Amino acid sequence: MPRPFITRGNWPLAQPDVFGLAAPIVLGTFDSVGTTGTGAVPGIRVYVADPPGAVRYLFSLFTLDEISRVYVDGVDTAGVGWTDLTPLIVGGCDYSAIEFATDPGADVAITADVVGPLTPGALPCAQLAFLLDNVVYGTYRGTALAAAPLDRSAFADAELYLAALRAEASFYLGTDPVVGFDLIRDWSLSTGVRAHWTEQGLLALLPDDHRLGLTYVEGHRVGPEESEVNQRLSLQYDGANLLERVVSRFLYQPAEGSYFFTLTVQETSLGEVGQEQFDRPFSRGYAT
Amino acid sequence: MSPGVLSRPRPADSAVMRAQWVRPVARANPAPGLRRARAVRMLGEPWPPTLPYVAISALLEATPYLDASLSVVSVSSALEAAIEAGNVYWLVTLEDSSAVLSEQYAETPYASAARGFYQARLASVDAIETAAGDRRYALEGLSFGAQLLEGSDQAFSRIVAARPHLLRNCAATVWLASPDVDPNGWWSFVGKLLTWEMGTPGAWRLRFGVDDLPLRRKT
């Protein structure tokens, strides 16, 4: 299923300002309780009854596991005044949407806390595979649905690695179209796991496994500059790069690490790597 | 040991023997500022080989610091033995999505019970060029070339002249095959045909790459 756009054909009762937006996708948990408390995912006003009556707000393509709370202008409705329509099938696609019996107003912000697919256990690799299968590769070649050429075993291995670090992911693919390469790069930035092509032509994942038991000699990599295939492990660095960045990766406690910590000391005004290095779109809490 | 290279244990004798099959790995030396190192792995040589083929698994043995997850590129042990015996050959198929184009080439004439005859047009398959992600986590590409010799019928030239739209980005499958090895154990690559050009008269340079077109478009 390719990512559909909100069009007049599919949503004839939507207001023109939403036409042309890509349908958003929510993966994982988005919960604003304890942070903003005003809802983490915006609703898109896709149905306005004429004459005035029910109004529908779209939160995500695909079926969300749960729409936990809905907020009207940042105020929790406590489940009153709206109905969960999920799954709402439009144009052959499943959507997650709610309906208000009475219009809260065109200028009122409707938001929600939701639990999206692939939440249990927080599955970063499964989320990437889901997006590549269903959004990026989708109906490539114009015929039957084509699964992405993924090395599923490498994805499973990377998932185990991230699970061992208790890494979790939530992702909101917004209404702006994205390029597949950027999607993978954002995911890699968020997880610290690199993507590469295998020599069978499959897309695979390559964790930078730093856990105890691995040494440089046995297979560990010292860093991005040395992680290319078949390179000799050299500690000689380009002098121009020498002082740009120092990265230390560690577990908070080796036996109880709840996450993969990275301490980076970097001169961002030098070189090609700038502030975007620190943005991690897939991390939980990024889009709250 | 050259300065700056981390020492590692002396490989076992078997690894030394196998390492003789490994050609020196060419390493690009990127200009300062480019910061994109690229490794080149030699996979094959013109047939008949002037140099031994490279057994990828032997390469992994000889370079124990490679990440274990890269072992998926290993060839089967049976195919490795066939490589060392020199009893392997390349097969290539080109097919477009509508199945109008269906070309099959091999280094030596080959008849498949399932797919029919492979014309003996393939002269060589080049090194695979690939890399893991760079420091900005960008996904690197993977591609390699092959040389295709024309026959008297100018078959490939006629396809290029009449139906180039079928060739561009058509599905390409490349096998490193051996009559001594079950086809399930052959090394295979599934991707697409990127480019083609006539390098010398009667010889086409084909370039294969991974199926990354969907990654280039907006969605």
Side-chain angles (χ1 to χ4, degrees), chain A residues 136-137 194 199 206 229 231, chain B residues 27 39 41 69 134 211 217:
Chain A
V136 177
Y137 278 81
R194 295 168 191 282
E199 296 182 9
L206 191 61
V229 177
Q231 286 212 45
Chain B
R27 178 179 177 181
R41 172 173 299 162
S69 61
D134 66 9
D211 182 12
R217 69 182 180 188

Side-chain angles (χ1 to χ4, degrees), chain B residues 82-95:
Chain B
I83 290 171
E84 294 189 6
N87 197 19
V88 291
Y89 46 83
W90 293 99
L91 302 177
V92 171
T93 63
L94 301 176
E95 292 178 313

Side-chain angles (χ1 to χ4, degrees), chain B residues 21-102:
Chain B
W21 293 90
V22 180
R23 287 196 59 197
V25 176
R27 178 179 177 181
N29 185 21
L34 183 59
R35 296 174 182 173
R36 175 170 295 185
R38 185 176 295 278
V40 179
R41 172 173 299 162
M42 308 303 292
L43 253 189
E45 293 294 332
W47 183 266
T50 55
L51 289 170
Y53 280 89
V54 170
I56 304 173
S57 56
L59 191 63
L60 288 169
E61 282 188 42
T63 55
Y65 46 80
L66 283 178
D67 193 283
S69 61
L70 280 178
S71 60
V72 292
V73 305
S74 301
V75 296
S76 65
S77 56
L79 186 58
E80 184 180 339
I83 290 171
E84 294 189 6
N87 197 19
V88 291
Y89 46 83
W90 293 99
L91 302 177
V92 171
T93 63
L94 301 176
E95 292 178 313
D96 76 313
S97 56
S98 57
V100 174
L101 176 74
S102 180

Side-chain angles (χ1 to χ4, degrees), chain B residues 32-193:
Chain B
L34 183 59
R35 296 174 182 173
R36 175 170 295 185
R38 185 176 295 278
V40 179
R41 172 173 299 162
M42 308 303 292
L43 253 189
E45 293 294 332
W47 183 266
T50 55
L51 289 170
Y53 280 89
V54 170
I56 304 173
S57 56
L59 191 63
L60 288 169
E61 282 188 42
T63 55
Y65 46 80
L66 283 178
D67 193 283
S69 61
L70 280 178
S71 60
V72 292
V73 305
S74 301
V75 296
S76 65
S77 56
L79 186 58
E80 184 180 339
I83 290 171
E84 294 189 6
N87 197 19
V88 291
Y89 46 83
W90 293 99
L91 302 177
V92 171
T93 63
L94 301 176
E95 292 178 313
D96 76 313
S97 56
S98 57
V100 174
L101 176 74
S102 180
E103 297 295 313
Q104 303 180 157
Y105 306 110
E107 285 185 297
T108 59
Y110 173 73
S112 162
R115 302 187 55 89
F117 186 66
Y118 285 69
Q119 305 172 64
R121 299 282 172 82
L122 202 59
S124 65
V125 175
D126 300 339
I128 284 183
E129 297 178 18
T130 185
D134 66 9
R135 62 186 302 171
R136 292 166 299 178
Y137 290 88
L139 179 61
E140 294 281 348
L142 182 151
S143 65
F144 59 99
Q147 189 170 32
L148 188 70
L149 301 180
E150 279 286 27
S152 57
D153 58 357
Q154 302 286 306
F156 195 80
S157 295
R158 286 191 294 173
I159 296 174
V160 171
R163 297 180 293 178
H165 60 289
L166 297 181
L167 279 178
R168 187 174 303 282
N169 294 321
C170 73
T173 307
V174 180
W175 284 282
L176 182 59
S178 172
D180 299 336
V181 179
D182 185 279
N184 291 327
W186 293 354
W187 180 88
S188 65
F189 167 84
V190 179
K192 61 183 181 175
L193 177 63

